[in-house]
Structure formats: C-alpha cells, structure tokens
C-alpha cells in the first residue's frame, strides 16, 4: 500500500525532529488560515508532539507581515 505524504506532513515531522535534536520547543507556523490542520493534528497527538503552547503574535509591535487576498469571510 502506497501512502501520499503532503508537504504539511513533511514540515510537521521535520519540526518535530528539529525540536527533539535541539532539546527545546520550536515554532511551526500554519499559514492555512481557513483550516488549521497542523494545530488539530498536534493537539490530537500531544503524547508524540508535546503540549501546544499558547498562540502568539509573531511580531513585537502587533504589526502583520502578511495579507489575505481576497479577505476571509465568516
């Protein structure tokens, strides 16, 4: 049986490996604003990934470094 691995899966596993090797927490930024699949996967596997930290704003002055076009509508 062949498995197809998505880029986000590879990024998540690379981040996990980097955290283990560095022996410290790392940031994994999920740029998919509509569906936070990384957050859901990590939260479901905290025995493997550890506890999720509190969400953080990535800039000290609360400025945004990205724009979403077109705007996300709720």
């Amino acid at each position: 049986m062949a498995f197809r691995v998505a880029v986000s899966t590879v990024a998540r596993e690379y981040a996990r490996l980097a955290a283990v090797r560095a022996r410290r927490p790392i940031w994994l930024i999920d740029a998919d604003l509509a569906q936070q699949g990384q957050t859901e996967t990590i939260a479901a596997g905290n025995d493997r990934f550890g506890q999720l930290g509190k969400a953080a704003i990535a800039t000290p002055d609360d400025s945004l470094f990205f724009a979403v076009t077109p705007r996300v509508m709720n």
Side-chain angles (χ1 to χ4, degrees):
M1 173 185 261
F3 292 99
R4 207 172 130 190
V5 178
V7 173
S8 58
T9 302
V10 172
R12 182 181 62 244
E13 293 303 316
Y14 180 78
R16 187 184 69 80
L17 176 63
V20 168
R21 288 189 174 204
R23 296 184 192 146
R24 59 186 297 178
I26 53 94
W27 283 19
L28 176 62
I29 299 170
D30 189 349
D32 185 347
L33 301 176
Q35 183 180 17
Q36 294 288 303
Q38 296 292 358
T39 302
E40 294 165 4
T41 300
I42 292 169
N46 67 5
D47 57 327
R48 181 164 187 225
F49 297 105
Q51 282 292 107
L52 277 174
K54 187 175 124 184
I57 296 173
T59 57
D61 63 357
D62 293 340
S63 63
L64 295 176
F65 61 92
F66 63 88
V68 178
T69 308
R71 289 186 58 150
V72 176
M73 304 301 284
N74 290 340

